[in-house]
Amino acid sequence: MKNRTFAAHLYRLFRSPSLYICIVSYVLLLIVPMLRPNYLNNIVMSGLYRAQVSDFYFVLSAVIPALAYAVTYVDDYDTRMLYPWAVRSGARQYAVSYYLTALMGGFLVGFLGNAIYIGIHLLLGMELDAEIGWNHTAMYYQYDVIYDEGHIALYVFIILMEYALGAAAMAGISAMCSSLFHQRFATLAIPVFYFFMTDVYSKLAGVFSWPRLHKLLIPMYLAQDSFYLKNPSLNVLYKLLTVALHVIVCGYITVRHIERSVDNA
């Protein structure tokens, strides 16, 4: 991959207002659930967890990360700017650079959006976390050992990384849909449909004793905080494996289909 091609995509990402609008929108959608009556909003991490599983779940997880950059390919395809890009740098270099930038856009939205949310509430004097249940002090139980040992910054960082990696992976899924269908609606709607159908199947599997989906295939574990294993290190590794699986498969499909689009032009 030519560095100048990737640099050009990064320049488009950081120059575009979409990235910053997405980050602000992400923060606002996290805050909205806390405006409800009787909502417990005095604990920052509890509020973050509840906001992430709110009515805006699909938008937070799938739509906003895609809007940061993944939909850019649809614009390039529709305006035929794809072909000058391909002539200058080659179809593969364009495709790989576009895909990596889409991942980075989703990652930044997830990481900065959640970090800003936490920062705002800490500045308002709210408590980061509190005792919950019997022997848990951390809202995110899979990482309560880290919290109990006093590694607060690491505890927060890991949770931010969980959401950011999930947002990046969902942006990768959207980039794949963008390369397959060349439509904004498909780019944004199909990842949401993926969430919806796996959720419906999981509920029906419990009723009809159908085979359950492996956790690697459940987008909730991909996009939100994961709870594969109690051990924090192993849980993080499993999350990385889940993200890597989606990123590699979607990346391969994205690059192949963009190359095919250029060849068929």
Side-chain angles (χ1 to χ4, degrees):
M1 179 179 61
K2 297 179 180 179
N3 289 333
R4 62 177 180 271
T5 304
F6 183 47
H9 278 281
L10 288 178
Y11 178 76
R12 292 176 77 189
L13 170 66
F14 288 105
R15 183 172 175 269
S16 172
S18 298
L19 173 64
Y20 308 102
I21 292 172
C22 286
I23 293 172
V24 172
S25 300
Y26 194 101
V27 176
L28 292 176
L29 287 178
L30 287 175
I31 292 175
V32 166
M34 301 187 70
L35 303 178
R36 296 173 180 173
N38 302 321
Y39 196 90
L40 298 176
N41 59 356
N42 58 326
I43 306 299
V44 177
M45 300 309 283
S46 175
L48 180 64
Y49 176 82
R50 294 172 187 273
Q52 287 285 353
V53 296
S54 69
D55 296 336
F56 303 103
Y57 170 71
F58 296 129
V59 179
L60 280 169
S61 301
V63 176
I64 294 183
L67 286 172
Y69 199 79
V71 296
T72 301
Y73 173 73
V74 177
D75 297 333
D76 287 348
Y77 183 87
D78 288 342
T79 61
R80 301 189 68 81
M81 285 299 297
L82 168 64
Y83 307 110
W85 274 93
V87 169
R88 289 198 304 267
S89 60
R92 180 175 291 262
Q93 286 76 17
Y94 168 87
V96 173
S97 297
Y98 154 72
Y99 184 71
L100 291 177
T101 307
L103 295 180
M104 183 173 294
F107 182 91
L108 289 173
V109 169
F111 190 92
L112 294 178
N114 286 288
I116 292 171
Y117 172 91
I118 293 173
I120 289 173
H121 287 82
L122 289 178
L123 289 174
L124 292 175
M126 295 182 181
E127 190 175 351
L128 179 68
D129 220 321
E131 187 172 349
I132 300 172
W134 279 95
N135 293 314
H136 296 292
T137 52
M139 181 65 211
Y140 295 84
Y141 304 128
Q142 64 274 42
Y143 301 122
D144 61 357
V145 173
I146 296 175
Y147 185 88
D148 291 342
E149 292 178 351
H151 304 298
I152 309 301
L154 178 61
Y155 168 71
V156 173
F157 178 76
I158 289 177
I159 293 169
L160 289 176
M161 287 295 292
E162 281 244 21
Y163 288 125
L165 288 171
M170 293 308 301
I173 293 173
S174 295
M176 177 188 68
C177 296
S178 180
S179 70
L180 287 171
F181 302 104
H182 308 139
Q183 294 180 350
R184 277 179 172 263
F185 178 78
T187 300
L188 300 175
I190 291 178
V192 174
F193 183 74
Y194 174 42
F195 266 97
F196 178 73
M197 290 307 298
T198 54
D199 187 52
V200 170
Y201 179 86
S202 297
K203 291 177 180 177
L204 292 176
V207 175
F208 297 105
S209 300
W210 293 348
R212 294 189 178 274
L213 292 173
H214 194 279
K215 288 183 177 181
L216 288 174
L217 302 176
I218 299 177
M220 180 184 71
Y221 289 93
L222 172 68
Q224 296 187 324
D225 70 298
S226 60
F227 196 90
Y228 301 107
L229 300 164
K230 179 63 176 176
N231 182 284
S233 298
L234 294 179
N235 193 73
V236 170
L237 288 175
Y238 217 112
K239 177 58 175 275
L240 291 173
L241 177 62
T242 306
V243 171
L245 174 65
H246 285 79
V247 165
I248 292 171
V249 171
C250 293
Y252 175 80
I253 295 172
T254 301
V255 172
R256 288 297 301 272
H257 277 271
I258 291 178
E259 288 179 319
R260 186 174 300 174
S261 295
V262 173
D263 291 340
N264 293 336

